[in-house]
């Protein structure tokens, strides 16, 4: 029987639900889990709503003050799924109280805030992960494994787009459209995912040339971003994100063109990876690989081949991975995104804004922790 770890969750809506669902499934689907999640407490600002969420998700208690989670000795893992302006203070406080921390993306509203979160949490020695869940799609992990094995050779091109349409409504009034609370719009919400996938699959981004636009009158945050990027290893690419692409509900798509092969992925067909090999029959084009075999990433937890899984299972894989890191079975990196990865994505987001405002290409200068630079 695995040891238990107490979970404290900040946020009970979209991400709070996704993460809570994953912790519940980890307890019985990934048997035996590295650690058994015990849902101790969940925090949110609406007392009635958070109490109802606690009852639905299976938490022992609820609170309207995240500080109760930080001070609770029964909680060993603090999971921050709150709005962006609540990422820094609670996460840092939890780490300084000795709790391992998971924080939703974007890590901070700016690169400066993200760097402070990373540096202060890293100084505590706890395990930390920024929740870029698309790293934990089986097809995406398979692509990474193929790249690491040298099957693609030199990567030359990477293009990614993350398109949604729900933002095309001027009456929307949530924290995501408040500049103080969100920090940015499509940039931090969607482009951050695209940037992290670029880093995860291809490597560091060295420079960007971007256009960041707000189309709806009086909106405080950006609606869309278009960027050309150069990777440190020499590849070139494009990143596109918007919340105004009518008809695109959650369209995350990327393609890699390399020396020996090309790969393509569409989140709306998330169990498939498109593969083209230069040494194959060019007339046959791309081959569709259904990523559901017993030897494919994460599939030991699920069903017989061909019995596909969904978006919610990416959080099962992600949080199972983090529990394994806490238990000492593996590290958070390179497959999970550390707070350093969260900071680096924020640095690129800020560079895109500067590039758009200045009408010029921006070189990326990544900050290092003092101990790393010594």
């Amino acid at each position: 029987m695995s040891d238990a770890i107490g979970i404290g969750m900040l946020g009970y809506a979209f991400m709070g639900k996704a993460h809570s669902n994953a912790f519940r499934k980890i307890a019985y689907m990934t048997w035996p889990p590295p650690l058994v999640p015990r849902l101790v407490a969940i925090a949110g600002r609406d007392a009635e709503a958070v109490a109802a969420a606690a009852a639905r998700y299976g938490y022992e208690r609820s609170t309207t003050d995240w500080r109760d989670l930080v001070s609770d000795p029964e909680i060993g893992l603090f999971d921050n799924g709150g709005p962006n302006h609540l990422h820094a203070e609670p996460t840092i406080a939890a780490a300084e109280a000795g709790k391992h921390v998971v924080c939703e993306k974007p890590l901070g509203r700016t690169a400066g805030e993200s760097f402070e979160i990373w540096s202060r949490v890293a100084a505590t020695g706890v395990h930390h992960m920024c929740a870029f869940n698309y790293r934990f799609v089986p097809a995406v992990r398979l692509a990474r494994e193929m790249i690491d094995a040298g099957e693609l050779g030199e990567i030359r091109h990477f293009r990614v787009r993350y398109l949604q349409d729900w933002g095309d409504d001027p009456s929307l009034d949530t924290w995501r459209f408040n500049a103080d609370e969100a920090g940015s719009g499509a940039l931090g919400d969607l482009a951050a995912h695209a940037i992290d996938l670029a880093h995860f699959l291809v490597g560091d981004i060295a420079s960007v040339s971007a256009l960041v636009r707000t189309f709806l009158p009086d909106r405080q945050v950006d609606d869309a971003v278009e960027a050309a990027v150069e990777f440190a290893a020499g590849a070139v690419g494009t990143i596109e994100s918007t919340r105004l692409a009518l008809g695109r509900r959650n369209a995350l798509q990327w393609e890699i063109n390399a020396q020996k092969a090309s790969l393509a992925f569409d989140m709306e067909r998330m169990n498939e990876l498109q593969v083209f090999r230069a040494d194959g029959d060019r007339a046959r084009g791309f081959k569709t690989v259904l990523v559901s075999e017993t030897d494919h990433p994460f599939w030991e937890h699920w069903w017989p081949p061909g019995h596909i899984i969904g978006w919610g299972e990416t959080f099962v894989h992600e949080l199972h991975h983090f529990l394994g890191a806490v238990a000492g079975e593996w590290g958070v990196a390179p497959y999970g995104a550390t707070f350093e990865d969260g900071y680096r994505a924020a640095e690129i987001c800020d560079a895109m804004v500067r590039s758009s405002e200045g009408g010029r290409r921006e070189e990326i200068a990544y900050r290092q922790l003092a101990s790393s630079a010594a």
Side-chain angles (χ1 to χ4, degrees):
M1 192 65 148
S2 301
D3 293 335
I5 185 169
I7 307 298
M9 178 73 64
L10 174 57
Y12 58 84
F14 186 21
M15 285 298 105
K17 177 188 286 188
H19 287 222
S20 298
N21 175 63
F23 282 125
R24 292 291 297 272
K25 286 189 174 181
I26 285 169
Y28 59 87
M29 287 301 298
T30 67
W31 193 257
L35 295 166
V36 177
R38 174 190 162 205
L39 305 188
V40 176
I42 185 169
R45 48 191 176 180
D46 185 312
E48 184 177 353
V50 73
R56 290 197 311 274
Y57 304 157
Y59 286 90
E60 297 169 13
R61 50 187 175 270
S62 64
T63 179
T64 57
D65 190 344
W66 58 261
R67 294 169 184 82
D68 294 338
L69 307 182
V70 171
S71 62
D72 192 334
E74 297 183 57
I75 292 173
L77 192 164
F78 179 83
D79 190 330
N80 192 337
N84 298 348
H85 73 290
L86 288 178
H87 284 185
E89 185 181 3
T91 301
I92 292 168
E96 291 180 344
K99 303 182 191 307
H100 305 291
V101 287
V102 173
C103 185
E104 262 300 329
K105 61 86 214 158
L107 183 58
R109 291 167 293 180
T110 64
E113 185 174 68
S114 300
F115 182 77
E116 181 180 8
I117 297 170
W118 171 36
S119 59
R120 290 184 62 179
V121 170
T124 69
V126 303
H127 292 281
H128 49 84
M129 183 175 71
C130 189
F132 285 109
N133 64 300
Y134 293 123
R135 291 183 175 215
F136 293 89
V137 175
V140 173
R141 173 65 71 84
L142 181 60
R144 169 64 187 262
E145 292 178 359
M146 293 172 67
I147 292 167
D148 288 347
E151 294 184 40
L152 274 65
E154 178 190 49
I155 295 177
R156 296 162 174 168
H157 300 280
F158 179 77
R159 59 193 67 85
V160 58
R161 63 179 195 168
Y162 197 170
L163 315 178
Q164 295 180 350
D165 66 357
W166 65 277
D168 196 18
D169 180 352
S171 69
L172 289 171
D173 185 23
T174 74
W175 67 265
R176 293 183 184 277
F177 297 96
N178 182 301
D180 289 338
E181 294 184 83
S184 64
L187 187 63
D189 190 17
L190 305 182
H193 272 303
I195 289 165
D196 183 69
L197 282 173
H199 176 230
F200 182 60
L201 294 171
V202 185
D204 283 337
I205 291 175
S207 68
V208 302
S209 180
L211 295 171
V212 180
R213 290 289 183 269
T214 301
F215 290 101
L216 272 67
D218 301 321
R219 179 156 286 174
Q220 297 181 19
V221 297
D222 59 274
D223 289 318
V225 58
E226 307 276 349
V229 302
E230 178 187 24
F231 293 87
V236 294
T238 58
I239 294 173
E240 176 185 20
S241 293
T242 180
R243 297 193 291 205
L244 302 183
L246 295 182
R248 298 298 182 184
R249 305 302 287 162
N250 191 46
L252 173 59
Q253 300 149 339
W254 57 258
E255 182 169 327
I256 292 173
N257 306 123
Q259 177 187 13
K260 301 178 183 178
S262 289
L263 303 176
F265 173 79
D266 184 344
M267 190 63 196
E268 293 178 349
R269 303 182 68 88
M270 67 167 281
N271 291 272
E272 298 177 1
L273 184 65
Q274 302 293 319
V275 180
F276 176 86
R277 297 186 185 276
D279 58 1
D281 184 351
R282 290 182 180 267
R284 294 181 181 274
F286 279 84
K287 173 184 178 181
T288 299
V289 176
L290 184 62
V291 187
S292 69
E293 296 297 320
T294 55
D295 60 346
H296 282 157
F298 311 114
W299 222 261
E300 68 270 22
H301 305 312
W302 301 110
W303 320 115
H307 294 71
I308 61 178
I309 59 171
W311 177 84
E313 279 63 62
T314 64
F315 296 95
V316 176
H317 305 155
E318 178 179 58
L319 293 172
H320 177 272
H321 177 80
F322 188 68
L323 292 177
V326 171
E329 296 188 11
W330 46 69
V332 174
Y335 293 122
T338 65
F339 279 8
E340 179 179 6
D341 295 316
Y343 151 69
R344 292 169 88 85
E347 194 71 76
I348 295 164
C349 286
D350 279 14
M352 288 181 175
V353 173
R354 293 195 304 271
S355 174
S356 182
E357 291 175 345
R360 62 180 181 273
R361 180 178 173 185
E362 284 284 328
E363 303 288 335
I364 311 295
Y366 297 105
R367 285 168 263 189
Q368 292 183 316
L369 300 183
S371 59
S372 300

